[in-house]
Amino acid sequence: MRVAALLAQLVHDGVSGDDAEIVLAYVCGRERAWVRAFDDAEIGDGDVERVRSLCARRRAGEPVAYLMGSAGFYGRTFAVDARVLVPRPETEHLIDDARTHLAAFDAPRVADIGTGSGAIACTVAAEVPGVRVDAVDISADALAVARANAGALGVAGRIAWFQGDLLAPLAGRRYDAVLANLPYVPTGEIAPRPDPVSFEPRLALDGGKDGLALYRRMLPALAVALTPGGVAYLEAAPPLMAGLAALARAVLPAARLEVGLDYGGRERYLRVRPR
């Protein structure tokens, strides 16, 4: 079957043109530009069936990243599947901010809380000279994915992995930066299928009634987890930032709080500098 005919059929069946092109390019091992430039190319029967199978999953709402088994983050490719949240580009500014802060340290120590796929931990390990990262997740499945990503990206030697709840596995250790992208979707707002987010692990989404339950539990431990001059970077959804800042102010009244923006100019993370 020719590329153009297959794409037309997929769109007729309810797949968006963009998704159809992405899946077809993935199956054929090509760039999307090839799909558009060579719409008269012949696709073998085996590849046609694979494209149709993946597009059927996409029609059911499954994220494209799960179909391909990978997602891009900070210029690198991370393996992802249903065991972990798909990394979002909104988190990249948090990395930028932390890199600027960590540049002042010769051998910085960083904690990544709720590491998931390891996107933050692996990126920091790759981007910050001399860094050592301790990465925590409560999910053994997520840690398996993160370890594999660290190995594939060549940073496994700079990251230690801990299974457990928030900062508890790191008791007694101190860090120049603590980064956390914890579950922050309010329980009542977790969309049902076929919303793509609903395919991601509930453990990585559910932030309790107000979306801030995990941050509420973690904040009291921050003051002792950070070195003098250390900074915490806490990501949440824009509508939750005021509430997160209020929590931080109540627990750490002397802390300096600053809000960081994402690519869309929306409030995306809170910078916490205890004093």
Side-chain angles (χ1 to χ4, degrees):
M1 178 178 282
R2 295 183 188 277
V3 167
L6 179 54
L7 288 174
Q9 186 180 85
L10 293 170
V11 170
H12 179 269
D13 291 342
V15 181
S16 76
D18 284 343
D19 287 346
E21 289 182 359
I22 291 170
V23 171
L24 181 54
Y26 166 68
V27 170
C28 294
R30 305 279 191 170
E31 299 292 332
R32 283 183 71 185
W34 179 90
V35 173
R36 295 175 178 177
F38 296 94
D39 61 354
D40 60 344
E42 287 285 344
I43 307 298
D45 291 345
D47 284 345
V48 169
E49 289 309 308
R50 190 177 177 205
V51 169
R52 286 174 173 161
S53 175
L54 290 174
C55 283
R57 290 165 59 186
R58 182 68 188 116
R59 283 199 307 274
E62 193 169 348
V64 171
Y66 286 175
L67 303 184
M68 299 188 297
S70 65
F73 181 80
Y74 217 88
R76 296 176 178 82
T77 299
F78 288 82
V80 296
D81 57 31
R83 293 174 290 177
V84 295
L85 198 75
V86 178
R88 269 59 165 185
E90 291 84 356
T91 305
E92 293 184 346
H93 278 307
L94 181 147
I95 300 287
D96 288 338
D97 199 333
R99 284 182 64 192
T100 299
H101 166 67
L102 294 168
F105 299 84
D106 291 331
R109 294 298 304 267
V110 173
D112 174 26
I113 310 303
T115 195
S117 66
I120 290 176
C122 292
T123 301
V124 170
E127 296 287 341
V128 179
V131 74
R132 298 289 300 181
V133 182
D134 289 345
V136 180
D137 205 288
I138 200 168
S139 166
D141 285 341
L143 287 172
V145 175
R147 284 191 180 97
N149 278 322
L153 294 168
V155 296
R158 294 192 286 281
I159 306 174
W161 307 97
F162 299 83
Q163 184 181 0
D165 182 53
L166 303 174
L167 283 161
L170 308 180
R173 300 173 183 235
R174 305 191 79 185
Y175 299 93
D176 304 305
V178 172
L179 288 75
N181 182 10
L182 300 179
Y184 55 68
V185 181
T187 303
E189 296 180 17
I190 297 177
R193 294 191 177 186
D195 188 291
V197 174
S198 69
F199 286 78
E200 297 177 280
R202 190 179 184 94
L203 189 63
L205 296 170
D206 195 341
K209 185 176 180 180
D210 64 353
L212 296 173
L214 279 83
Y215 282 117
R216 187 175 286 108
R217 290 200 292 109
M218 189 183 78
L219 277 165
L222 271 185
V224 295
L226 289 167
T227 59
V231 180
Y233 300 86
L234 314 178
E235 181 174 339
L240 301 182
M241 292 308 300
L244 179 56
L247 282 177
R249 178 65 68 205
V251 174
L252 302 166
R256 178 181 175 186
L257 307 180
E258 300 163 307
V259 174
L261 308 180
D262 62 20
Y263 286 114
R266 295 163 296 191
E267 296 184 340
R268 180 61 60 179
Y269 63 93
L270 184 68
R271 190 185 306 115
V272 182
R273 301 175 186 268
R275 295 174 182 172

